[in-house]
Amino acid sequence: EAQVTQNPRYLITVTGKKLTVTCSQNMNHEYMSWYRQDPGLGLRQIYYSMNVEVTDKGDVPEGYKVSRKEKRNFPLILESPSPNQTSLYFCASSLSGRTDEQYFGPGTRLTVT
Amino acid sequence: AQKVTQAQTEISVVEKEDVTLDCVYETRDTTYYLFWYKQPPSGELVFLIRRNSFDEQNEISGRYSWNFQKSTSSFNFTITASQVVDSAVYFCALSSEYNAGNMLTFGGGTRLMVKP
């Protein structure tokens, strides 16, 4: 089944404790991205990747890191989480870019206390 | 820069009513793509439609229809004879061909509540 998976689905952590949210897709998609969803703000793009070893900042990259060492995986790293990073995070992939239909993962709800 | 505005934050209708969700976008590019996504209460994001800037034909898919008007920079979504299962948050999104980077910009979303 074609899908985007994210783990964990739910995470409660404390300020400053490094964490990684994994994202994996099995559709051989070139483009992957991370979004955060906050009430009233819709989805805002954090980082995206056009291909392996090619990543770039989206609208709200501060406090986040990503890597794309393999085509299928695109982890989101929070080196020192803060409470303002409490949000719902979505990973997405598409065949060749942002002009294609995006396939979204199920979301990761992160709470930073 | 590009921007998407969904002025209606919440809409409540009674089942079988028609409802239109508004989407207004801003871009300096002449080539761009517009999208609608649905987020039901379960939380996943479901793709509904993609339209490029050169195709101004309206589209109908069952009870769903989309009205794209470049003159007013709008891409509105109408649900005919709404059903309870249509209750969800709906997002409009924009991607420009030549904007800086390769970003996809979403509007703030419209929460639609369909009451039985």
Side-chain angles (χ1 to χ4, degrees):
Chain A
E1 179 192 353
Q3 60 182 353
V4 178
T5 56
Q6 293 177 229
N7 282 291
R9 294 290 312 280
Y10 302 90
L11 180 59
I12 300 174
T13 189
V14 296
T15 299
K17 187 176 180 182
K18 181 179 178 180
L19 67 91
T20 299
V21 184
T22 64
C23 173
S24 183
Q25 51 93 5
N26 62 0
M27 295 169 279
N28 202 35
H29 283 171
E30 304 277 331
Y31 184 89
M32 296 185 74
S33 59
W34 277 100
Y35 299 85
R36 60 177 289 172
Q37 182 180 0
D38 302 289
L41 297 177
L43 282 86
R44 293 179 293 168
Q45 199 165 26
I46 303 171
Y47 268 95
Y48 61 90
S49 169
M50 296 295 292
N51 212 325
V52 175
E53 302 292 1
V54 180
T55 63
D56 210 342
K57 297 176 181 178
D59 278 325
V60 289
E62 295 77 23
Y64 304 95
K65 282 175 58 176
V66 293
S67 69
R68 187 96 180 268
K69 293 185 171 56
E70 304 166 284
K71 197 171 187 179
R72 62 183 293 128
N73 296 324
F74 190 47
L76 179 70
I77 302 157
L78 284 72
E79 295 268 2
S80 183
S82 62
N84 65 12
Q85 291 178 298
T86 292
S87 188
L88 178 59
Y89 291 87
F90 286 97
C91 179
S93 72
S94 68
L95 187 59
S96 59
R98 54 174 163 68
T99 60
D100 296 328
E101 169 190 351
Q102 303 289 310
Y103 291 78
F104 285 88
T108 294
R109 186 165 293 281
L110 172 65
T111 302
V112 184
T113 61
Chain B
Q2 56 187 30
K3 186 179 177 182
V4 177
T5 301
Q6 295 180 254
Q8 306 148 308
T9 53
E10 270 193 23
I11 301 176
S12 182
V13 300
V14 177
E15 206 169 20
K16 297 185 183 175
E17 282 185 19
D18 298 347
V19 58
T20 295
L21 311 182
D22 298 332
C23 172
V24 174
Y25 60 91
E26 294 176 29
T27 178
R28 293 179 181 174
D29 292 331
T30 56
T31 303
Y32 51 89
Y33 294 80
L34 294 160
F35 304 80
W36 277 94
Y37 286 85
K38 174 182 179 179
Q39 186 178 41
S42 51
E44 75 272 23
L45 283 150
V46 179
F47 168 80
L48 295 178
I49 189 171
R50 180 183 83 155
R51 179 52 53 98
N52 75 52
S53 54
F54 297 108
D55 182 2
E56 289 192 70
Q57 275 196 332
N58 292 330
E59 179 148 345
I60 298 174
S61 176
R63 295 183 298 108
Y64 295 172
S65 63
W66 290 268
N67 184 317
F68 177 30
Q69 292 200 334
K70 287 178 79 169
S71 60
T72 55
S73 297
S74 65
F75 186 43
N76 296 338
F77 173 31
T78 297
I79 302 174
T80 302
S82 59
Q83 300 176 1
V84 173
V85 293
D86 296 325
S87 296
V89 180
Y90 291 86
F91 292 99
C92 181
L94 165 70
S95 176
S96 298
E97 187 72 18
Y98 299 111
N99 75 326
N102 285 279
M103 290 191 294
L104 182 61
T105 301
F106 282 79
T110 297
R111 181 179 299 278
L112 173 65
M113 291 173 287
V114 181
K115 298 177 182 177

